[in-house]
Amino acid sequence: MDFSLTDEQHAFRDSASQFMEKALRPFAAEWDAESTFPVATIRQAGEVGFCGIYTPESAGGLGLSRLDASLIFEVLAQGCTSTAAFITIHNMATWMVASWAQPDVRDEWCPSLTTGEKLASYCLTEPNAGSDAASLKTSARRDGDHYILNGSKAFISGAGSTDALVLMARTGGDGAKGISCFLIPSDLPGISFGRNEEKMGWKSQPTRQVNLEDVRLPARYRLGEEGEGFSIAMRGLDGGRINIASCSLGAAQAALDQALSYVQERKQFGQQIAAFQNTQFKLADMATHLLAARQMVRFAAWKLDKKDSDRAAFCAMAKRMATDLCFDICNEALQLHGGYGYIREYPLERYVRDARVHQILEGTNEIMRVIIARRLLSENPLNLE
């Protein structure tokens, strides 16, 4: 059993670190304060391959593994967690187009998606269908060579500023088997967007409602077969959970690094606060929890790459564990800064705000626990060895 990274993986991390230090970290606080969506920077990420990391090479991507992608996303998130998180969503949507679009649609869209020239949003959640995604109501009615779509999607990252929507809609009866997946150009007549939500974190990416009113879409833009949409969505989210967990790792690593620096500079009662045993205990726990979360995420990514039968449960475990532990690490790092952690001169409060949403997205952590428990209680229980 070898837990070391390959030379190639170290090179991926180095490349991501160079991009992060130059293009993300110096601007993250400004983007957060001004709610700026840095489209030009995301396109720069596309120029170095970071908009199609695990999209196959045949569709213009890098064709890397999910483990490789996790390593890259973790590093990017150390610079700007919010922007890195959007890049992961774009990667997921691009991979779905590459994997399930008809050849002519794939060839039309993937070259510009993988380079970041065009950006994509993932549209599953609805105002009344969040964790219970199989109950979604947005409809797609077949009309000859087209579908007519009606409905609304909620909390859509990038909506109103992206070029394509990878969207789930109901083409059949109730339940998961009645859902299909579509690639929808964002500028089609009948599509409108709500206001940019005023969020606690993730301020460098817009979040809007998407409204569809008699949107006429050529049938060739369906991804996969009719009724296959929920399965496609869940397969996308397996990787999406690894992605968002990786962003949590990046935020926690940045917070720990900042805390380590601060406690060795700050003095109270005549000595560095790093000299106090309570501080040392906190730092030890933070480092231990970060390493445990990182190994869980990488193990789950490896399971996903191997197409292991238990991969969905392990991705849920990784997402639950990493997002919970890493939020706690960010919060503890803020606490170690005292009052300074609460002001925007330091990045700690931003790490806390950005990491908090990861416990909610890609399925709440309560849903992750349900996925894990059902697998443990099934006729073919989860192998934990």
Side-chain angles (χ1 to χ4, degrees):
M1 186 176 292
D2 186 357
F3 290 97
S4 61
L5 301 182
T6 66
D7 290 343
E8 190 175 45
Q9 288 169 333
H10 281 295
F12 295 150
R13 284 176 52 85
D14 289 344
S15 177
S17 181
Q18 291 172 17
F19 180 83
M20 179 271 290
E21 293 289 0
K22 179 180 179 181
L24 297 179
R25 195 192 296 276
F27 309 103
E30 176 186 342
W31 296 337
D32 176 77
E34 299 179 3
S35 296
T36 299
F37 187 38
V39 172
T41 301
I42 296 169
R43 287 180 175 146
Q44 290 174 17
E47 291 173 2
V48 293
F50 294 158
C51 285
I53 295 174
Y54 52 89
T55 295
E57 291 181 276
S58 60
L62 295 180
L64 301 183
S65 71
R66 298 309 179 91
L67 176 56
D68 297 336
S70 174
L71 302 174
I72 292 169
F73 292 143
E74 178 184 342
V75 172
L76 296 180
Q78 293 179 39
C80 182
T81 306
S82 170
T83 303
F86 177 80
I87 292 173
T88 75
I89 295 167
H90 173 81
N91 267 268
M92 178 177 68
T94 300
W95 171 78
M96 294 168 76
V97 174
S99 299
W100 282 284
Q102 295 183 23
D104 61 328
V105 174
R106 183 185 64 229
D107 293 343
E108 175 187 355
W109 280 90
C110 281
S112 54
L113 289 173
T114 55
T115 60
E117 178 185 348
K118 292 183 178 179
L119 301 177
S121 293
Y122 178 75
C123 306
L124 176 62
T125 300
E126 296 185 0
N128 295 308
S131 297
D132 184 13
S135 68
L136 64 83
K137 300 299 183 184
T138 296
S139 65
R141 176 178 57 83
R142 188 70 183 250
D143 182 27
D145 292 334
H146 290 75
Y147 285 92
I148 309 299
L149 290 98
N150 285 278
S152 296
K153 296 293 180 178
F155 304 124
I156 304 305
S157 292
S161 300
T162 53
D163 305 284
L165 309 172
V166 174
L167 183 142
M168 310 301 153
R170 190 165 298 284
T171 53
D174 293 340
K177 294 183 179 179
I179 297 171
S180 299
C181 182
F182 299 90
L183 169 65
I184 305 177
S186 298
D187 58 357
L188 286 184
I191 298 177
S192 62
F193 302 96
R195 67 184 179 89
N196 186 10
E197 302 288 354
E198 296 183 10
K199 306 186 299 293
M200 172 181 170
W202 270 24
K203 289 181 173 290
S204 75
Q205 51 169 293
T207 302
R208 295 186 174 93
Q209 182 165 303
V210 179
N211 304 304
L212 304 103
E213 184 175 357
D214 293 330
V215 175
R216 191 170 181 84
L217 179 74
R220 67 190 184 93
Y221 278 84
R222 188 187 69 228
L223 303 181
E225 300 299 326
E226 276 201 6
E228 197 179 1
F230 190 77
S231 173
I232 293 172
M234 294 303 103
R235 288 183 63 181
L237 286 178
D238 283 342
R241 287 164 183 156
I242 295 297
N243 295 348
I244 216 69
S246 302
C247 288
S248 286
L249 295 174
Q253 183 66 67
L256 178 58
D257 290 344
Q258 175 70 30
L260 287 168
S261 176
Y262 180 80
V263 299
Q264 294 177 81
E265 296 172 359
R266 175 72 167 171
K267 290 185 177 181
Q268 290 289 281
F269 303 102
Q271 61 181 336
Q272 295 177 343
I273 61 175
F276 292 105
Q277 191 176 64
N278 180 64
T279 302
Q280 295 172 5
F281 284 177
K282 280 182 180 280
L283 292 170
D285 285 346
M286 291 161 68
T288 301
H289 293 166
L290 177 57
L291 180 59
R294 180 177 287 129
Q295 294 304 326
M296 182 74 232
V297 171
R298 291 181 182 179
F299 183 53
W302 178 81
K303 287 273 191 181
L304 188 57
D305 284 327
K306 298 297 182 183
K307 297 182 172 57
D308 189 278
S309 60
D310 290 331
R311 60 189 180 275
F314 278 92
C315 289
M317 284 182 173
K319 192 268 182 182
R320 203 294 299 164
M321 181 180 182
T323 58
D324 280 350
L325 289 181
C326 290
F327 172 76
D328 289 343
I329 292 166
C330 293
N331 198 40
E332 289 287 5
L334 185 152
Q335 188 71 19
L336 286 170
H337 282 69
Y340 291 109
Y342 202 66
I343 62 176
R344 290 193 172 182
E345 182 181 347
Y346 290 81
L348 278 305
E349 57 86 29
R350 173 163 45 87
Y351 297 151
V352 168
R353 288 187 288 106
D354 285 343
R356 180 62 180 88
V357 74
H358 299 170
Q359 296 171 295
I360 301 170
L361 295 177
E362 312 295 6
T364 66
N365 282 356
E366 288 72 26
I367 293 298
M368 297 304 99
R369 291 181 174 94
V370 170
I371 292 171
I372 297 162
R374 285 180 176 175
R375 191 69 180 83
L376 288 168
L377 296 168
S378 69
E379 293 181 0
N380 183 25
L382 191 65
N383 182 2
L384 299 177
E385 294 182 358

